C-alpha cells in the first residue's frame, strides 16, 4: 500500500519567523518508501507529455526535480540564488511569504521551444513559481506546467500562474 505522504510532513510553528507554519519535508525525505512515492506521484501527470527539461529552484526543489528528470528521461535545469551559477545568467527578483529574493538561470540552459516542467516542494504565495515561469519564457522555453509536492491553498498561489497546468500531491 502506498504510504500516507501527509503523515511524513511535520508542522513547525513560527519558523523561520513568527507567524509562519513551516511544512517540514525532512521526515518524508528520510523515509525510503515515502520519498519514492513522492517522486512517483509528482512524475505521474507528466509522463508521456514530452518534457525535455525539469527545472527547479534551490534547494528543496532540487530534491524532487532531479529524480523526476531521471524517471522521465528529461534533463535537469538548476535555478539558483545570486552568485551561484558560474556562466552568464538571466535573473528575476520576487517576493516570498517571508522574504525578498532573486533567482538566476544560465542563459543557455533551455533551448528555444523546449518543453519545461517547473518543480518545487511547496507553493505558498506562488511568487517563486511565477518568477521561474517568467525566467524560462524569457529564454524561449515552453512551460508545460508546474508540479509541487505541497500546496498551501489558503495563499492562492495558483492565481499567479495564469493558464499554466498546475498539480500538487498534498494540499493544506
Ligand atoms: P512562494 O513563493 O510564496 O510560493 O513560496 C514558495 C517557496 O517558499 C518554496 O520554495 C517553499 O520551499 C518555501 N515556503 C514558503 N512557505 C513555506 C511554508 N509554509 N513551509 C515550507 N516552505 C515554505
Amino acid at each position: 500500500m502506498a504510504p500516507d505522504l501527509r503523515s511524513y510532513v511535520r508542522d513547525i510553528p513560527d519558523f523561520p519567523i513568527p507567524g509562519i507554519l513551516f511544512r517540514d519535508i525532512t521526515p518524508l525525505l528520510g523515509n525510503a518508501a515515502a520519498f519514492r512515492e513522492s517522486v512517483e506521484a509528482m512524475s505521474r501527470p507528466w509522463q508521456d507529455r514530452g518534457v525535455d527539461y525539469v527545472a527547479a529552484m534551490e534547494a528543496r526543489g532540487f530534491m524532487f526535480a532531479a529524480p523526476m528528470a531521471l524517471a522521465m528521461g528529461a534533463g535537469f535545469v538548476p535555478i539558483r540564488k545570486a552568485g551561484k551559477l558560474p556562466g552568464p545568467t538571466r535573473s528575476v527578483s520576487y517576493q516570498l511569504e517571508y522574504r525578498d529574493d532573486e533567482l538566476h538561470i544560465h542563459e543557455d540552459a533551455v533551448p528555444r521551444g523546449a518543453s519545461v516542467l517547473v518543480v518545487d516542494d511547496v507553493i505558498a504565495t506562488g511568487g517563486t513559481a511565477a518568477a521561474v515561469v517568467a525566467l524560462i519564457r524569457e529564454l524561449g522555453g515552453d512551460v508545460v506546467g508546474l508540479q509541487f509536492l505541497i500546496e498551501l491553498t489558503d495563499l492562492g498561489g495558483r492565481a499567479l500562474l495564469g493558464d499554466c497546468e498546475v498539480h500538487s500531491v498534498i494540499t493544506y
Side-chain angles (χ1 to χ4, degrees):
M1 213 179 83
D4 173 21
L5 296 181
R6 191 180 291 263
S7 67
Y8 293 93
V9 178
R10 177 169 58 175
D11 293 348
I12 311 266
D14 300 319
F15 182 88
I17 57 167
I20 299 290
L21 180 60
F22 194 83
R23 307 293 183 173
D24 175 26
I25 57 165
T26 59
L28 180 147
L29 294 169
N31 181 279
F35 187 26
R36 175 181 294 277
E37 172 58 20
S38 300
V39 171
E40 287 177 1
M42 292 172 78
S43 304
R44 226 167 266 141
W46 311 102
Q47 298 284 8
D48 309 319
R49 294 283 301 273
V51 173
D52 299 311
Y53 296 91
V54 181
M57 27 292 207
E58 70 173 292
R60 277 167 280 144
F62 288 4
M63 298 165 192
F64 298 97
M68 287 172 68
L70 289 177
M72 281 180 229
F76 170 72
V77 173
I79 295 174
R80 303 209 58 187
K81 309 268 169 68
K84 298 287 188 184
L85 290 171
T89 63
R90 300 285 179 89
S91 69
V92 62
S93 298
Y94 66 103
Q95 264 196 334
L96 272 174
E97 198 180 356
Y98 44 78
R99 62 193 152 84
D100 286 349
D101 225 327
E102 190 180 279
L103 286 174
H104 289 246
I105 189 169
H106 269 147
E107 271 176 8
D108 62 356
V110 174
R112 290 205 155 269
S115 296
V116 183
L117 173 65
V118 175
V119 167
D120 204 358
D121 65 332
V122 174
I123 179 170
T125 65
T128 309
V132 170
V133 168
L135 268 183
I136 287 163
R137 288 185 175 156
E138 197 184 319
L139 297 185
D142 174 26
V143 176
V144 181
L146 298 98
Q147 176 70 53
F148 302 93
L149 177 67
I150 295 170
E151 179 173 1
L152 308 180
T153 53
D154 285 356
L155 294 168
R158 274 177 191 249
L160 284 188
L161 300 175
D163 291 341
C164 289
E165 182 176 337
V166 180
H167 293 278
S168 52
V169 177
I170 303 169
T171 54
Y172 291 97

